Structure formats: structure tokens, C-alpha cells
């Protein structure tokens, strides 16, 4: 298996729930750090006013529990582009790399 070409810089972000002062909550996003990745576009679709593209984003592995290990519910940011992480799995038997299955949504 070829070594991934990790040359795309992404910021990993974690959602935090913050009280809105009216008895509810809003989600704010906190930066966890910069990660280098390989990005491979998958299928896309249009759903009304939103177009969505699936991405396979490969990053270096980190142990479970390490804040540098992406997990479902987090997102990657590249400038104004957002990639919502739906699932994360080891890419190789040695566990050197992770594949993050993410979705990018854009208004059409």
C-alpha cells in the first residue's frame, strides 16, 4: 500500500455546547490543531438548495483518546470550506494512518 501524500493543511475543530441565555444551547467550534491530510473526492449529490460531496480524508494516526485523533462529530476546516466527519477507521493494518469519511455541503 502506498504511503499517503499528506500535503493539504486542515484545521481540526470540536463542537462545544454553550448556553444561549434563553434556556437553550448553541454550538460553537473550537480549534484543536492543524493536521496534514490527503483528500480524495467521492460521490456528490444535490438535495434542493444544498450540494454535498463525500470525501475520504487520510491523516496520520493518533491513539484513541488523543485530541489529535479525529472522530465522528468533529469537522475539518480549510479556509471557508467545512468537512463534517461521519466516521473514522484505520487505513492500514499497522495503524499508521486513519481514513476520515467526511461530507462537504455547499449552497447551490
Amino acid at each position: 500500500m502506498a504511503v499517503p501524500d499528506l500535503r493539504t493543511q486542515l484545521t481540526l475543530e470540536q463542537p462545544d455546547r454553550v448556553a444561549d441565555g434563553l434556556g437553550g444551547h448553541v454550538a460553537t467550534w473550537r480549534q484543536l490543531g492543524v493536521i496534514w491530510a490527503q483528500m480524495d473526492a467521492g460521490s456528490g449529490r444535490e438535495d434542493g438548495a444544498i450540494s454535498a460531496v463525500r470525501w475520504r480524508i487520510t491523516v496520520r494516526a493518533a491513539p484513541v483518546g488523543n485530541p489529535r485523533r479525529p472522530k465522528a462529530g468533529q469537522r475539518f476546516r480549510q479556509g471557508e470550506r467545512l468537512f463534517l466527519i461521519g466516521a473514522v477507521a484505520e487505513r492500514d493494518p499497522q495503524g499508521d494512518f486513519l481514513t476520515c469519511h467526511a461530507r462537504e455541503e455547499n449552497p447551490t
Side-chain angles (χ1 to χ4, degrees), residues 12 35 61-71 74 88-90 98:
L12 180 62
I35 292 181
V64 174
N66 184 311
R68 293 193 56 83
R69 182 184 177 101
K71 58 185 175 183
Q74 294 178 331
V88 178
E90 280 74 19
L98 301 172

Side-chain angles (χ1 to χ4, degrees), residues 72-83:
Q74 294 178 331
R75 72 183 183 189
F76 291 114
R77 174 184 289 276
Q78 183 184 42
E80 295 300 313
R81 296 175 72 186
L82 301 174
F83 305 90

Side-chain angles (χ1 to χ4, degrees), residues 2-81:
V3 175
D5 186 9
L6 308 178
R7 65 167 93 178
T8 301
Q9 185 177 1
L10 301 172
T11 302
L12 180 62
E13 297 182 338
Q14 166 86 26
D16 290 329
R17 287 179 49 158
V18 178
D20 64 5
L22 300 171
H25 295 87
V26 295
T28 61
W29 291 87
R30 176 173 41 100
Q31 292 184 1
L32 298 178
V34 171
I35 292 181
W36 291 92
Q38 174 179 311
M39 297 180 64
D40 297 297
S43 63
R45 67 178 173 81
E46 185 177 348
D47 185 15
I50 300 289
S51 68
V53 176
R54 299 258 178 218
W55 287 88
R56 280 190 337 262
I57 301 173
T58 303
V59 300
R60 287 199 191 285
V64 174
N66 184 311
R68 293 193 56 83
R69 182 184 177 101
K71 58 185 175 183
Q74 294 178 331
R75 72 183 183 189
F76 291 114
R77 174 184 289 276
Q78 183 184 42
E80 295 300 313
R81 296 175 72 186

